[in-house]
Amino acid sequence: MIHFTAPLMSAIDTILAVMFYLFTAARAGKARAEFGIAAPATVGHPIFERAYRVQMNTLEQLAAFVPLLWLTAIYPMPVAWIAPLVGLVWVIGRILYQRAYMRDPTTRAMGVMTSGLAIVALLALAIAGVLRAGLGWA
């Protein structure tokens, strides 16, 4: 039987996030080939540009998501599963963002807000966990 701990759930979130990033990279690469956009160009057909922006925006978000997620795993709050749940919300937000942005970039707000609020929540949980551990409240 699997015992779901905060680190294990954070590892699952991390794997899902990286898998999603690899999906966005593959989608951008496929669009680059499909529309004949040779590297290093980052402009060309609108579908390629959307796929590329989704990939790059996801990469930009990963730079904050991964360290914050793991800080919450190392310095958890008393209800340790909350942070990995927020991490899963971030992944879902990125999927919503990708789907909306590829359809029509002006409809990306729900995905942006979902993943953005998840980052803010992880930041708050990380700060609280670090302070709790540093002040000996653990």
Side-chain angles (χ1 to χ4, degrees):
M1 185 164 142
I2 298 174
H3 182 66
F4 286 100
T5 62
L8 176 60
M9 292 186 298
S10 294
I12 292 167
D13 286 350
T14 302
I15 290 168
L16 290 173
V18 171
M19 287 173 62
F20 178 71
Y21 172 72
L22 293 174
F23 167 78
T24 66
R27 186 155 189 180
K30 181 180 177 210
R32 182 181 289 280
E34 182 178 338
F35 298 109
I37 301 166
T42 58
V43 296
H45 193 279
I47 297 297
F48 163 73
E49 291 177 11
R50 290 177 191 176
Y52 180 74
R53 277 309 309 144
V54 167
Q55 178 196 4
M56 289 298 100
N57 189 266
T58 300
L59 181 60
E60 294 159 5
Q61 291 267 325
L62 275 172
F65 172 73
V66 171
L68 290 173
L69 180 65
W70 281 97
L71 281 170
T72 64
I74 295 167
Y75 301 105
M77 295 303 293
V79 184
W81 57 265
I82 289 176
L85 180 63
V86 173
L88 185 58
V89 168
W90 182 86
V91 173
I92 292 167
R94 297 314 303 166
I95 292 168
L96 293 173
Y97 171 82
Q98 183 269 334
R99 291 176 58 99
Y101 201 94
M102 291 306 296
R103 188 174 43 253
D104 176 3
T106 64
T107 65
R108 71 190 188 279
M110 179 62 75
V112 168
M113 290 184 348
T114 302
S115 55
L117 289 174
I119 292 282
V120 171
L122 286 173
L123 176 60
L125 289 167
I127 290 170
V130 168
L131 285 175
R132 184 172 174 268
L135 296 173
W137 296 342

